[in-house]
Amino acid sequence: MDKKSMRYDPDEALKLDHQLCFPLYAASRKIIGAYTPFLKPLGITYTQYITFMALWEKDDVPVGDLCRRLHLDNGTLTPLLKKMEEQGFITRRRDSGDERRVRIYLTDEGRTLKKKAGDIPRQIGSCLQLSEEDARALYTILYKIIDG
């Protein structure tokens, strides 16, 4: 390769097709959109769904821990939790050991929702045109980006 072809060209660099961020963004929107028909009958959004998944794994958690687990900031998660509480899925209570911290608890209704959502991962998996091997490889690569 000669030196001329190795020069940085802003016009080339700014082409949409040369950006890693764009296919990640577009794929994310497409996958989240695929969840909508499965989540709508449950009355929840995709962000609520991932919040539920984290809470179904571990209930009775501080909001800050939930923010870290979901890679969401407090300003995004707090209104979402308020809506989930209004829907009767969770309760929020001050930590008895540290009044500055709020802990999140699933209600019986929130735990029951897990059974209703149980088939969603299989249904989504059948919508994606990825082999199991490609899905595992993509998962690994995405977590390199997230954790990097």
Side-chain angles (χ1 to χ4, degrees), residues 107-142:
T107 62
D108 289 340
E109 191 172 343
R111 281 187 280 284
T112 299
L113 193 64
K114 182 178 183 181
K115 291 179 186 112
K116 294 177 183 176
D119 203 39
I120 292 174
R122 184 191 59 77
Q123 291 170 315
I124 290 297
S126 68
C127 294
L128 301 178
Q129 301 300 315
L130 288 176
S131 68
E132 191 175 322
E133 181 181 333
D134 285 346
R136 259 188 263 119
L138 180 59
Y139 179 90
T140 300
I141 291 166
L142 290 172

Side-chain angles (χ1 to χ4, degrees), residues 44-103:
I44 62 173
T45 65
Y46 178 78
T47 311
Q48 287 175 316
Y49 176 64
I50 63 172
T51 303
F52 275 118
M53 286 192 290
L55 290 169
W56 291 329
E57 287 178 26
K58 187 174 189 311
D59 194 2
D60 180 10
V61 294
V63 172
D65 290 1
L66 200 51
C67 285
R68 283 184 288 283
R69 176 80 169 102
L70 297 172
H71 299 276
L72 295 172
D73 60 60
N74 196 37
T76 299
L77 192 57
T78 297
L80 181 88
L81 293 171
K82 183 178 181 186
K83 174 132 173 106
M84 290 169 72
E85 186 173 40
E86 290 168 358
Q87 291 173 292
F89 294 127
I90 64 163
T91 58
R92 299 180 296 161
R93 287 183 282 214
R94 294 268 170 212
D95 190 314
S96 59
D98 183 351
E99 287 291 317
R100 295 170 298 176
R101 290 170 43 141
V102 174
R103 299 186 75 82

Side-chain angles (χ1 to χ4, degrees), residues 5-62:
S5 61
M6 293 176 53
R7 287 191 347 206
Y8 178 77
D9 182 349
D11 289 334
E12 279 299 306
L14 289 172
K15 288 185 176 178
L16 190 59
D17 289 341
H18 294 178
Q19 306 305 310
L20 178 59
C21 61
F22 179 70
L24 285 170
Y25 166 77
S28 175
R29 288 182 44 84
K30 185 173 184 169
I31 289 172
I32 290 168
Y35 278 88
T36 302
F38 304 110
L39 299 176
K40 195 169 188 161
L42 302 178
I44 62 173
T45 65
Y46 178 78
T47 311
Q48 287 175 316
Y49 176 64
I50 63 172
T51 303
F52 275 118
M53 286 192 290
L55 290 169
W56 291 329
E57 287 178 26
K58 187 174 189 311
D59 194 2
D60 180 10
V61 294

